[in-house]
Amino acid sequence: MNEVILETRGIRKAFGKQNVLDNVSLMVPKGCVYGLLGPNGAGKSTLMKMFSGMIRPDEGEIYFNGSKWSRDNLKDTGVLIEQPPLYENLTAVENLEVRTLLLGIPKKRIQEVLDIVDLKNTGKKRAGQFSMGMKQRLGIAIALLNSPSLLILDEPTNGLDPFGIQELRDMIRDFSDQGITVIVSSHILSEVEQVADYIGIISEGVLGYQGGMKQGKDLESLFTDVVRKNRGRELCC
Ligand SMILES: Nc1ncnc2c1ncn2[C@@H]1O[C@H](COP(=O)(O)OP(=O)(O)O)[C@@H](O)[C@H]1O
Ligand SMILES: [Mg+2]
């Protein structure tokens, strides 16, 4: 069995009276691409925010490399959750510079990450004038600055055209080839299917399926089964 980089045990989270995550036990093998699949509102972003220290679970534990998760693990984690956190009035380089200063990362890493996401030569253009795809790339560049061993990408294809989606998929595979574990969420089945080694299907806060992506696996019926089973669950306490 592979080593596990990230594990959750019995995670629960409620916002007010709404139970958003219910007993979620996730297991992410090291070096894999883990696709977290689920319809809108399933709880994907909420779960991913827990891996980046933005939200705490009400119950349950998170383990990173076998030890209880702590903020120290953020040094090894890169995140892009929901919208890229950009200063719209700054250029790509300046956006990255702010982070290198904050995190004490050598400046030369800026060109490296811009190369990786293929976002060179944007010069004086400010991030606010970037296309959606460029903003996403810059968001990924920011996530890569600290050379993470775990990269969390929350619906990274949002707003991308089919070509951009293909490029992103190739990028994710490259990260994985370099030994970076990637957790990527999507509400679109085909996006996860084409890139993931493992998948977790979450619906209404319940992880209804988790396992390896085997050839010929009928992901569509798995997905609909899980969604159907949890639809209309009594989510209010
Ligand atoms: N900060 C918050 N306060 C209240 N409800 C929230 C908050 N964040 C998320 N939710 C609710 O939790 C549920 C899951 O949201 P989310 O994790 O964003 O789903 P997904 O990313 O799968 O679309 C939704 O019903 C959403 O409205
Ligand atoms: Mg989301």
Side-chain angles (χ1 to χ4, degrees):
M1 159 127 186
N2 281 340
E3 274 182 82
V4 172
I5 186 164
L6 191 81
E7 186 184 351
T8 73
R9 294 188 196 153
I11 294 282
R12 287 183 203 277
K13 180 75 190 173
F15 288 118
K17 288 190 170 169
Q18 186 190 4
N19 288 323
V20 170
L21 295 172
D22 188 2
N23 198 20
V24 173
S25 296
L26 198 84
M27 182 97 80
V28 182
K30 201 173 266 186
C32 78
V33 177
Y34 188 105
L36 185 62
L37 187 63
N40 292 324
K44 303 181 294 298
S45 298
T46 303
L47 186 60
M48 288 172 131
K49 282 175 187 170
M50 289 176 181
F51 307 149
S52 59
M54 291 156 79
I55 291 184
R56 283 199 201 181
D58 295 336
E59 271 181 53
E61 287 99 38
I62 304 172
Y63 292 85
F64 190 96
N65 276 332
S67 303
K68 272 222 173 154
W69 187 92
S70 74
R71 296 198 75 81
D72 210 36
N73 298 131
L74 294 177
K75 288 185 193 145
D76 295 316
T77 309
V79 283
L80 173 56
I81 295 185
E82 292 176 341
Q83 304 301 323
L86 305 182
Y87 296 103
E88 302 234 317
N89 57 334
L90 299 184
T91 65
V93 169
E94 288 166 349
N95 261 285
L96 292 160
E97 234 165 32
V98 172
R99 268 85 181 188
T100 53
L101 286 172
L102 201 69
L103 301 169
I105 293 167
K107 255 190 171 180
K108 71 171 176 39
R109 182 70 181 148
I110 293 178
Q111 277 313 316
E112 286 173 13
V113 293
L114 286 173
D115 279 354
I116 296 171
V117 301
D118 202 13
L119 195 70
K120 290 159 288 178
N121 311 322
T122 54
K124 289 188 174 156
K125 199 174 219 178
R126 292 165 187 215
Q129 289 147 8
F130 282 10
S131 70
M132 192 71 128
M134 289 162 79
K135 285 183 180 175
Q136 288 291 63
R137 281 168 195 272
L138 184 51
I140 296 172
I142 290 170
L144 290 170
L145 265 182
N146 59 341
S147 310
S149 56
L150 175 66
L151 183 63
I152 293 168
L153 301 176
D154 184 23
E155 309 242 13
T157 57
N158 272 354
L160 297 188
D161 60 28
F163 186 64
I165 292 174
Q166 177 62 49
E167 284 188 328
L168 182 75
R169 211 176 279 140
D170 293 344
M171 216 188 283
I172 290 174
R173 290 275 24 138
D174 284 347
F175 294 151
S176 177
D177 291 345
Q178 290 157 29
I180 302 174
T181 308
V182 185
I183 306 180
V184 56
S185 73
S186 181
H187 62 281
I188 300 168
L189 195 68
S190 58
E191 281 176 9
V192 164
E193 192 169 27
Q194 291 184 43
V195 79
D197 308 305
Y198 273 76
I199 57 154
I201 303 178
I202 189 167
S203 177
E204 309 273 343
V206 175
L207 189 70
Y209 175 83
Q210 176 169 239
M213 275 290 301
K214 296 186 189 77
Q215 282 243 309
K217 181 169 272 187
D218 188 353
L219 197 56
E220 190 165 352
S221 55
L222 261 176
F223 186 47
T224 35
D225 281 355
V226 171
V227 173
R228 230 180 249 141
K229 206 166 143 198
N230 292 295
R231 181 165 292 161
R233 261 169 36 87
E234 188 50 72
L235 274 171
C236 286
C237 345

